[in-house]
Amino acid sequence: MVRNDRVVKPARRPEVRLPELVAFTDGELTPDGDYDGLEFRDTDLAGQDGGGARFLDCALRGCALDETRLHHARVVDSVLSGIRGVGTDLAEASLRDVELVDARLGGTQLHGAVLERVLVRGGKIDYLNLRRARLKDVVFEGCVLVEPDFGGARLERVEFVDCVLKGADLTAATLVDVDLRRAAELDITRGADRLSGAVISHAQLLDLAPVLAGALGVRVAEDA
């Protein structure tokens, strides 16, 4: 389970440099819409349908995304800061070179999504659904993830830095160069047997020993 430091490749972080932005004034999102160089500031997007939309060089700051439909959306070279919402639908979306900062989200659907060069910094996300998603060069930093579901997902060059993972599900997940050593709290409820391809600390190994024993079918009993 513990790999040599030299064979763990670090994640490449996004380098987002936004141009001068124009305020979004259209009122509502539209399916398959094209949004380029726009700033959405404190915009209430709750319940709106932006499925298949493209966001390029955009900033969403303090926006409400309750039940917002953004399935199949593409978000590129953009910053999402202080967004909040329950049930945001980003299923099968594509996020590339994106910074997600201080988000407060619950039940976010990202199953089947593709995340590449994404930084999730600060905030709290409850019940994040990343089943069958593909994550490459993704960093979770200083955030709290409550019961994140990585079932069947592929994680490559993913780092967890000073963040809390509570009740993580790794069932059938594939991990390649995943660095968990700096996680502030690491709690895996399912799929501990999928940790091959990750690096953990010695202290984490001791904490995870009961879960790993259970995953391997090892019974732990008092000395005879």
Side-chain angles (χ1 to χ4, degrees):
M1 296 300 175
V2 181
R3 301 176 60 191
N4 190 293
D5 293 354
R6 291 173 295 180
V7 298
V8 178
K9 298 177 182 177
R12 295 178 294 172
R13 297 188 177 218
E15 296 182 1
V16 181
R17 295 183 178 87
L18 293 175
E20 185 173 348
L21 302 178
V22 176
F24 173 74
T25 57
D26 290 350
E28 290 195 6
L29 300 175
T30 58
D32 300 314
D34 198 353
Y35 305 100
D36 192 343
L38 297 177
E39 180 181 42
F40 299 75
R41 181 175 289 276
D42 300 323
T43 308
D44 187 355
L45 303 174
Q48 296 187 22
D49 189 354
R54 184 182 73 102
F55 299 84
L56 174 63
D57 289 329
C58 287
L60 279 71
R61 309 185 196 277
C63 296
L65 298 175
D66 297 276
E67 304 292 342
T68 304
R69 295 178 292 279
L70 292 167
H71 53 285
H72 294 291
R74 290 172 292 163
V75 185
V76 182
D77 291 317
S78 296
V79 174
L80 286 66
S81 177
I83 62 172
R84 62 193 186 280
V86 175
T88 308
D89 181 5
L90 282 157
E92 300 182 342
S94 174
L95 281 68
R96 179 165 54 85
D97 290 306
V98 170
E99 295 182 4
L100 176 60
V101 182
D102 295 330
R104 304 287 295 188
L105 299 170
T108 302
Q109 300 300 311
L110 273 163
H111 52 87
V114 177
L115 284 69
E116 184 173 358
R117 292 191 301 274
V118 174
L119 171 63
V120 180
R121 186 175 67 239
K124 182 181 180 185
I125 306 178
D126 296 326
Y127 313 114
L128 176 61
N129 184 352
L130 281 163
R131 294 184 67 83
R132 298 183 302 280
R134 288 182 289 156
L135 289 73
K136 186 174 183 179
D137 294 311
V138 176
V139 179
F140 295 94
E141 181 178 273
C143 57
V144 177
L145 303 178
V146 178
E147 297 190 28
D149 188 349
F150 296 100
R154 177 179 174 84
L155 286 70
E156 181 177 355
R157 294 198 299 269
V158 177
E159 299 178 13
F160 296 85
V161 182
D162 298 327
C163 65
V164 172
L165 278 81
K166 295 182 178 180
D169 186 349
L170 297 175
T171 302
T174 300
L175 278 60
V176 179
D177 291 312
V178 173
D179 195 342
L180 292 158
R181 292 170 296 175
R182 290 179 287 171
E185 181 180 332
L186 178 58
D187 173 33
I188 298 174
T189 55
R190 290 177 293 276
D193 59 318
R194 308 300 295 186
L195 281 171
S196 177
V199 57
I200 61 177
S201 69
H202 290 288
Q204 289 170 335
L205 177 60
L206 295 175
D207 291 339
L208 289 172
V211 178
L212 291 170
L216 295 172
V218 176
R219 291 178 295 173
V220 181
E222 297 294 334
D223 294 337

